[in-house]
Amino acid sequence: MLRYTFKYGIGILTACTLSSLKIFKLRHMNLTPRIAPLQSFCYALALGLSIALIACSSGASASATSASLPASTEADNPAWLNELIQELKAAEPTNPPAKIYSYTYDYQTVYYLTGHCCDFPSKLYDARGNLYCEPDGGITGKGDGRCSDFLERRENEKLIWEDKRESN
């Protein structure tokens, strides 16, 4: 559609430009009885086509950009995270279901595994798979205290995996 709009738009703009040159020539020769409406029409048409071309070209590039972005897959995850997901899949489902999120925290990517229940602490791993801390849960509900500000300072939440199985 953009190609046709562009093709016909350029043709009409060229015709209007030639008409404008003729109008200018006629004005210069003081022969301007009824050419103002034609000139206004050409300007309005040029403006409308310019807006249409801009709208079509920006829409096409946005859809091409979003279509080229890959979805998050297991191939995007670190190997240790895929192993953890496989371990969780092999275990009995929990209530609430296990979820893994990625966040930015302390200027690094971290992975947050939700706790199984009230007294089970959640786990926060660094990008290499090392246990960073237990931000919440446990007997006090406040985790191990090593990253007590995690829940307030975390940014860029992205759900990596969710166990969708029904628990018994």
Side-chain angles (χ1 to χ4, degrees):
M1 171 143 178
L2 177 62
R3 181 176 47 183
Y4 295 117
T5 305
F6 185 73
K7 179 180 175 183
Y8 293 116
I10 293 298
I12 292 171
L13 286 175
T14 303
C16 283
T17 304
L18 292 174
S19 296
S20 295
L21 289 175
K22 287 180 184 176
I23 290 169
F24 178 74
K25 194 177 203 182
L26 290 174
R27 270 196 185 159
H28 194 17
M29 295 170 45
N30 291 328
L31 299 172
T32 58
R34 300 190 67 177
I35 52 179
L38 178 61
Q39 188 177 17
S40 297
F41 171 75
C42 284
Y43 288 140
L45 188 62
L47 178 64
L49 285 172
S50 298
I51 291 170
L53 286 172
I54 291 169
C56 287
S57 65
S58 65
S61 65
S63 63
T65 303
S66 63
S68 64
L69 294 175
S72 179
T73 62
E74 287 186 13
D76 297 332
N77 296 335
W80 69 266
L81 188 58
N82 288 331
E83 290 173 17
L84 177 61
I85 291 171
Q86 291 307 316
E87 289 174 17
L88 293 169
K89 286 179 179 179
E92 289 292 318
T94 59
N95 187 13
K99 295 181 185 180
I100 299 176
Y101 293 91
S102 71
Y103 293 100
T104 302
Y105 173 69
D106 277 346
Y107 307 104
Q108 63 178 321
T109 300
V110 293
Y111 297 92
Y112 176 73
L113 171 61
T114 58
H116 302 174
C117 185
C118 2
D119 291 341
F120 291 94
S122 59
K123 309 271 185 209
L124 189 67
Y125 297 94
D126 66 13
R128 293 183 179 159
N130 301 313
L131 182 63
Y132 192 82
C133 67
E134 296 173 340
D136 59 352
I139 294 174
T140 65
K142 297 181 181 181
D144 61 9
R146 293 187 293 156
C147 58
S148 56
D149 61 348
F150 169 72
L151 298 175
E152 293 83 32
R153 291 188 44 226
R154 61 187 175 179
E155 297 176 331
N156 305 318
E157 179 178 279
K158 181 180 174 187
L159 179 64
I160 301 296
W161 179 79
E162 177 179 10
D163 191 352
K164 297 191 183 235
R165 300 174 296 167
E166 294 286 325
S167 63
N168 296 331

